[in-house]
Amino acid sequence: MQETYLLAIESSCDDTSASVLYNNKVLSNEVANQEVHKQYGGVVPELASRAHLQNIVPVVAQALKKAGVQKEQLSAIAFTRGPGLMGSLLVGTSFAKSMAMGLGIPLIEVNHMQAHILAHFIDEGQAKPQFPFLALTISGGHTQIVKVKSFFEMEVLGETLDDAVGEAFDKTAKILGLPYPGGPLIDRYAQKGNPKAFSFSQPNIQGLNFSFSGLKTGILYFIQKQTQEDPAFVEKHLADICASVQETIISILIKKVKKAVQQTGIKQVAIGGGVSANSGIRKALKAMGEQYSWETFVPKFDYCTDNAAMVGIVGYYKFLEGQFSAQAVTAQPRLSISKE
Ligand code: KG4
Ligand code: ZN
């Protein structure tokens, strides 16, 4: 078998990450989170690209060092071309282009959303999905149900018409006075709360599409009303509020997945993206799998939120097929998952 050492770079949003893979195995996966956004309650694009510029050289150096690989050993460089923030994508794209040119090795562009899905193929001895399978991609920027026909052929069956599910978590957290990103904090408080304590109305959206903006507004009005009556309401009931919001979000997601399985007859379901780190959704998907005899695939925590290892695995499969990019390739903030 051909020996492939691949360097992968991810810089689509607010995490700068570099990973080295040996074939389909991860040797290192370094992620530098950007603390700078916490004080603003969300990602500030200009600050994100500046932080990527500061982080990228040390993060790449650290990934190579941890992997014990010299840059001269690299077979190719993969990078996230999109979707994402333009200024952030430009840093990873320019860096990958220059490094590949300097080393005289192939350059491989990767679609960030495909990477979230194909993270399941990083080999750690686990069972992997068989094509075709369904993927629920849930992140800060996306909420999609995708039919994955092969490594590079994907069809979006449904998606959010407004906010992404990660935004629903983060905006709820903001309403509750929790820092950004609030998703992991809601998850943590929810584990100590009663998911039936409060109920929030669910959207009535046709087909396999989603909507989360109504839920966010519903939560805002609920909290405003309750705090008028008792200013300490959030403080007193934080765990119950988080558990109830999380339960509502999971119920919205799971209902659509069930519908997608019924419509397609495909009984293999994988989740991916930052929100797939949520303990409630992980448990709910596994439970559905047991109840309805689906095969379910939940990624390792390290491969849920943005990371370069998932970019590397896509790069590896593209490398095997000789799918290389020209030096003229540019970052593409609105890259679609289905048009590759
Ligand atoms: O995939 P990701 O790292 O970045 C994007 O491509 O958007 O996803 C980030 C999102 C954020 O909205 C964050 O709050 C959410 O994933 N998230 C979670 C959890 N961990 C991360 N949401 C709920 N529960 C979690 N445990
Ligand atoms: Zn992502």
Short mmCIF file of all heavy atoms in Angstrom, two decimals, residues 12-15 112-113 116 138-142 165-167 169-170 180-187 246 273-279 301 304-306 310, ligand 1:
data_model
loop_
_atom_site.label_atom_id
_atom_site.label_comp_id
_atom_site.label_asym_id
_atom_site.label_seq_id
_atom_site.Cartn_x
_atom_site.Cartn_y
_atom_site.Cartn_z
N SER A 12 -12.07 27.67 9.16
CA SER A 12 -13.29 28.26 8.58
C SER A 12 -14.02 29.23 9.50
O SER A 12 -14.73 30.10 9.04
CB SER A 12 -14.25 27.15 8.16
OG SER A 12 -14.69 26.45 9.29
N CYS A 13 -13.83 29.06 10.81
CA CYS A 13 -14.58 29.94 11.73
C CYS A 13 -13.64 30.50 12.79
O CYS A 13 -12.79 31.32 12.49
CB CYS A 13 -15.76 29.18 12.30
SG CYS A 13 -16.90 30.22 13.21
N ASP A 14 -13.75 30.02 14.02
CA ASP A 14 -12.92 30.59 15.09
C ASP A 14 -11.97 29.59 15.72
O ASP A 14 -11.44 29.84 16.80
CB ASP A 14 -13.81 31.23 16.17
CG ASP A 14 -14.75 30.23 16.82
OD1 ASP A 14 -15.00 29.17 16.21
OD2 ASP A 14 -15.22 30.50 17.93
N ASP A 15 -11.73 28.46 15.08
CA ASP A 15 -10.73 27.51 15.58
C ASP A 15 -9.64 27.37 14.53
O ASP A 15 -9.95 27.11 13.37
CB ASP A 15 -11.34 26.12 15.84
CG ASP A 15 -12.38 26.15 16.94
OD1 ASP A 15 -12.06 26.66 18.03
OD2 ASP A 15 -13.51 25.69 16.70
N HIS A 112 -15.94 21.89 4.16
CA HIS A 112 -16.04 21.76 5.61
C HIS A 112 -17.20 20.85 6.05
O HIS A 112 -17.07 20.06 6.99
CB HIS A 112 -16.22 23.16 6.21
CG HIS A 112 -16.30 23.21 7.69
ND1 HIS A 112 -15.19 23.28 8.49
CD2 HIS A 112 -17.37 23.21 8.52
CE1 HIS A 112 -15.59 23.32 9.76
NE2 HIS A 112 -16.90 23.28 9.81
N MET A 113 -18.34 20.94 5.37
CA MET A 113 -19.50 20.15 5.77
C MET A 113 -19.32 18.68 5.40
O MET A 113 -19.75 17.78 6.12
CB MET A 113 -20.79 20.71 5.17
CG MET A 113 -21.13 22.12 5.66
SD MET A 113 -20.99 22.34 7.46
CE MET A 113 -22.33 21.30 8.03
N HIS A 116 -17.22 17.26 8.16
CA HIS A 116 -17.94 16.89 9.39
C HIS A 116 -18.56 15.49 9.23
O HIS A 116 -18.61 14.71 10.17
CB HIS A 116 -19.06 17.90 9.69
CG HIS A 116 -18.60 19.05 10.53
ND1 HIS A 116 -18.02 18.90 11.76
CD2 HIS A 116 -18.66 20.40 10.33
CE1 HIS A 116 -17.75 20.08 12.29
NE2 HIS A 116 -18.12 21.02 11.43
N ILE A 138 -25.08 19.03 12.34
CA ILE A 138 -25.58 20.05 13.25
C ILE A 138 -24.41 20.85 13.82
O ILE A 138 -23.58 20.31 14.53
CB ILE A 138 -26.42 19.40 14.38
CG1 ILE A 138 -25.81 18.06 14.85
CG2 ILE A 138 -27.85 19.16 13.92
CD1 ILE A 138 -26.61 17.34 15.94
N SER A 139 -24.34 22.14 13.41
CA SER A 139 -23.21 22.95 13.87
C SER A 139 -23.69 24.37 14.14
O SER A 139 -24.88 24.64 14.13
CB SER A 139 -22.11 22.94 12.83
OG SER A 139 -22.49 23.74 11.74
N GLY A 140 -22.72 25.26 14.35
CA GLY A 140 -23.05 26.65 14.60
C GLY A 140 -23.56 27.35 13.35
O GLY A 140 -24.23 28.38 13.42
N GLY A 141 -23.24 26.80 12.20
CA GLY A 141 -23.64 27.45 10.95
C GLY A 141 -24.61 26.64 10.11
O GLY A 141 -25.20 27.18 9.16
N HIS A 142 -24.79 25.36 10.42
CA HIS A 142 -25.60 24.50 9.56
C HIS A 142 -26.49 23.54 10.33
O HIS A 142 -26.15 23.12 11.42
CB HIS A 142 -24.70 23.66 8.65
CG HIS A 142 -23.94 24.50 7.68
ND1 HIS A 142 -24.35 24.74 6.41
CD2 HIS A 142 -22.79 25.19 7.84
CE1 HIS A 142 -23.49 25.54 5.82
NE2 HIS A 142 -22.53 25.83 6.67
N VAL A 165 -28.94 24.96 14.37
CA VAL A 165 -29.24 24.45 15.71
C VAL A 165 -28.20 24.95 16.74
O VAL A 165 -28.55 25.26 17.88
CB VAL A 165 -29.40 22.92 15.70
CG1 VAL A 165 -28.14 22.21 15.31
CG2 VAL A 165 -29.86 22.41 17.06
N GLY A 166 -26.95 25.08 16.32
CA GLY A 166 -25.91 25.60 17.23
C GLY A 166 -26.24 27.02 17.66
O GLY A 166 -26.02 27.41 18.81
N GLU A 167 -26.81 27.80 16.72
CA GLU A 167 -27.22 29.17 17.05
C GLU A 167 -28.35 29.15 18.08
O GLU A 167 -28.40 30.02 18.95
CB GLU A 167 -27.74 29.87 15.79
CG GLU A 167 -26.67 30.40 14.88
CD GLU A 167 -27.31 31.09 13.68
OE1 GLU A 167 -27.68 30.37 12.72
OE2 GLU A 167 -27.45 32.32 13.71
N PHE A 169 -28.78 27.00 20.41
CA PHE A 169 -28.12 26.78 21.71
C PHE A 169 -27.42 28.06 22.17
O PHE A 169 -27.58 28.49 23.30
CB PHE A 169 -27.08 25.65 21.59
CG PHE A 169 -27.65 24.27 21.82
CD1 PHE A 169 -27.88 23.41 20.76
CD2 PHE A 169 -27.93 23.82 23.10
CE1 PHE A 169 -28.39 22.13 20.97
CE2 PHE A 169 -28.44 22.55 23.33
CZ PHE A 169 -28.67 21.70 22.26
N ASP A 170 -26.62 28.65 21.27
CA ASP A 170 -25.81 29.81 21.67
C ASP A 170 -26.66 31.03 22.00
O ASP A 170 -26.36 31.78 22.93
CB ASP A 170 -24.80 30.16 20.56
CG ASP A 170 -23.79 29.03 20.34
OD1 ASP A 170 -23.61 28.20 21.26
OD2 ASP A 170 -23.18 28.97 19.26
N TYR A 180 -20.31 32.90 25.49
CA TYR A 180 -20.21 32.21 24.19
C TYR A 180 -19.01 31.27 24.17
O TYR A 180 -17.97 31.64 24.71
CB TYR A 180 -20.06 33.26 23.07
CG TYR A 180 -19.83 32.63 21.72
CD1 TYR A 180 -20.90 32.23 20.93
CD2 TYR A 180 -18.52 32.39 21.26
CE1 TYR A 180 -20.69 31.63 19.72
CE2 TYR A 180 -18.31 31.78 20.05
CZ TYR A 180 -19.39 31.40 19.28
OH TYR A 180 -19.19 30.78 18.08
N PRO A 181 -19.04 30.10 23.53
CA PRO A 181 -20.23 29.48 22.97
C PRO A 181 -21.02 28.75 24.05
O PRO A 181 -20.46 28.00 24.85
CB PRO A 181 -19.64 28.49 21.97
CG PRO A 181 -18.30 28.12 22.52
CD PRO A 181 -17.83 29.29 23.34
N GLY A 182 -22.32 28.99 24.06
CA GLY A 182 -23.14 28.51 25.18
C GLY A 182 -23.59 27.07 25.06
O GLY A 182 -24.05 26.49 26.06
N GLY A 183 -23.47 26.47 23.86
CA GLY A 183 -23.93 25.09 23.67
C GLY A 183 -23.41 24.12 24.73
O GLY A 183 -24.18 23.44 25.40
N PRO A 184 -22.08 24.06 24.91
CA PRO A 184 -21.54 23.11 25.89
C PRO A 184 -22.02 23.39 27.32
O PRO A 184 -22.20 22.47 28.11
CB PRO A 184 -20.02 23.32 25.79
CG PRO A 184 -19.80 23.94 24.45
CD PRO A 184 -21.02 24.73 24.14
N LEU A 185 -22.27 24.69 27.64
CA LEU A 185 -22.73 25.03 29.00
C LEU A 185 -24.17 24.59 29.20
O LEU A 185 -24.53 24.05 30.26
CB LEU A 185 -22.62 26.55 29.22
CG LEU A 185 -21.19 27.07 29.31
CD1 LEU A 185 -21.18 28.59 29.30
CD2 LEU A 185 -20.54 26.56 30.59
N ILE A 186 -25.01 24.81 28.18
CA ILE A 186 -26.41 24.36 28.29
C ILE A 186 -26.42 22.85 28.51
O ILE A 186 -27.15 22.33 29.35
CB ILE A 186 -27.20 24.76 27.03
CG1 ILE A 186 -27.32 26.27 26.99
CG2 ILE A 186 -28.57 24.06 26.99
CD1 ILE A 186 -28.33 26.84 26.05
N ASP A 187 -25.58 22.15 27.76
CA ASP A 187 -25.45 20.69 27.89
C ASP A 187 -25.12 20.32 29.35
O ASP A 187 -25.74 19.45 29.95
CB ASP A 187 -24.34 20.22 26.94
CG ASP A 187 -24.26 18.71 26.82
OD1 ASP A 187 -25.02 18.01 27.49
OD2 ASP A 187 -23.41 18.23 26.03
N GLN A 246 -33.02 22.02 25.79
CA GLN A 246 -32.26 20.95 25.11
C GLN A 246 -33.20 19.83 24.66
O GLN A 246 -33.10 19.33 23.55
CB GLN A 246 -31.18 20.41 26.04
CG GLN A 246 -30.29 19.37 25.38
CD GLN A 246 -29.05 19.07 26.20
OE1 GLN A 246 -28.26 19.95 26.47
NE2 GLN A 246 -28.89 17.83 26.60
N GLY A 273 -20.71 17.47 13.29
CA GLY A 273 -20.78 18.90 13.57
C GLY A 273 -20.73 19.14 15.07
O GLY A 273 -20.96 18.22 15.87
N GLY A 274 -20.44 20.39 15.44
CA GLY A 274 -20.23 20.75 16.84
C GLY A 274 -21.32 20.28 17.79
O GLY A 274 -21.03 19.80 18.89
N VAL A 275 -22.58 20.40 17.38
CA VAL A 275 -23.69 20.05 18.28
C VAL A 275 -23.77 18.52 18.50
O VAL A 275 -24.39 18.06 19.46
CB VAL A 275 -25.02 20.64 17.75
CG1 VAL A 275 -26.18 20.31 18.66
CG2 VAL A 275 -24.92 22.16 17.60
N SER A 276 -23.09 17.75 17.65
CA SER A 276 -23.12 16.29 17.88
C SER A 276 -22.29 15.92 19.11
O SER A 276 -22.28 14.77 19.54
CB SER A 276 -22.70 15.50 16.64
OG SER A 276 -21.40 15.82 16.26
N ALA A 277 -21.62 16.91 19.72
CA ALA A 277 -20.94 16.68 21.00
C ALA A 277 -21.95 16.68 22.14
O ALA A 277 -21.63 16.29 23.27
CB ALA A 277 -19.89 17.76 21.25
N ASN A 278 -23.18 17.13 21.87
CA ASN A 278 -24.19 17.24 22.93
C ASN A 278 -24.58 15.88 23.49
O ASN A 278 -24.98 14.98 22.75
CB ASN A 278 -25.42 17.97 22.36
CG ASN A 278 -26.48 18.18 23.40
OD1 ASN A 278 -27.35 17.35 23.59
ND2 ASN A 278 -26.39 19.28 24.12
N SER A 279 -24.51 15.77 24.81
CA SER A 279 -24.76 14.46 25.43
C SER A 279 -26.19 13.98 25.20
O SER A 279 -26.44 12.79 25.02
CB SER A 279 -24.43 14.50 26.92
OG SER A 279 -25.27 15.44 27.54
N PHE A 301 -15.60 12.73 20.51
CA PHE A 301 -15.71 14.15 20.86
C PHE A 301 -14.73 15.04 20.07
O PHE A 301 -15.09 16.10 19.59
CB PHE A 301 -15.49 14.37 22.36
CG PHE A 301 -16.73 14.11 23.15
CD1 PHE A 301 -16.82 13.01 23.99
CD2 PHE A 301 -17.83 14.95 23.06
CE1 PHE A 301 -17.98 12.76 24.71
CE2 PHE A 301 -18.99 14.72 23.77
CZ PHE A 301 -19.06 13.62 24.60
N CYS A 304 -16.01 16.20 16.70
CA CYS A 304 -17.33 16.84 16.58
C CYS A 304 -17.16 18.31 16.23
O CYS A 304 -17.59 18.75 15.17
CB CYS A 304 -18.10 16.73 17.89
SG CYS A 304 -18.69 15.06 18.25
N THR A 305 -16.55 19.06 17.13
CA THR A 305 -16.35 20.49 16.86
C THR A 305 -15.23 20.64 15.83
O THR A 305 -14.53 19.67 15.52
CB THR A 305 -16.02 21.27 18.15
OG1 THR A 305 -15.12 20.50 18.91
CG2 THR A 305 -17.26 21.51 18.98
N ASP A 306 -15.08 21.86 15.32
CA ASP A 306 -14.16 22.06 14.19
C ASP A 306 -12.74 21.57 14.51
O ASP A 306 -12.17 21.91 15.54
CB ASP A 306 -14.15 23.55 13.81
CG ASP A 306 -15.47 23.93 13.15
OD1 ASP A 306 -16.25 23.02 12.81
OD2 ASP A 306 -15.70 25.13 12.98
N MET A 310 -10.64 15.95 10.51
CA MET A 310 -11.76 15.63 9.60
C MET A 310 -11.48 16.16 8.19
O MET A 310 -11.92 15.58 7.20
CB MET A 310 -13.09 16.18 10.15
CG MET A 310 -13.19 17.70 10.16
SD MET A 310 -14.76 18.24 10.88
CE MET A 310 -14.75 19.98 10.37
O1 KG4 B 1 -18.94 22.54 14.08
P1 KG4 B 1 -18.64 23.66 15.01
O2 KG4 B 1 -17.42 23.56 15.89
O3 KG4 B 1 -18.46 25.00 14.20
C1 KG4 B 1 -19.23 25.31 13.09
O4 KG4 B 1 -18.90 24.83 11.98
O5 KG4 B 1 -20.25 26.02 13.32
O6 KG4 B 1 -19.94 23.90 15.88
C2 KG4 B 1 -19.97 24.88 16.90
C3 KG4 B 1 -21.34 24.85 17.57
C4 KG4 B 1 -21.56 25.99 18.53
O7 KG4 B 1 -22.85 26.56 18.28
C5 KG4 B 1 -21.54 25.32 19.90
O8 KG4 B 1 -22.33 25.95 20.87
C6 KG4 B 1 -22.10 23.96 19.55
O9 KG4 B 1 -21.50 23.63 18.31
N1 KG4 B 1 -21.76 22.93 20.56
C7 KG4 B 1 -22.69 22.34 21.36
C8 KG4 B 1 -21.98 21.44 22.20
N2 KG4 B 1 -20.65 21.52 21.88
C9 KG4 B 1 -20.55 22.43 20.87
N3 KG4 B 1 -24.02 22.49 21.42
C10 KG4 B 1 -24.68 21.74 22.33
N4 KG4 B 1 -24.08 20.88 23.17
C11 KG4 B 1 -22.74 20.69 23.14
N5 KG4 B 1 -22.16 19.83 23.99
#
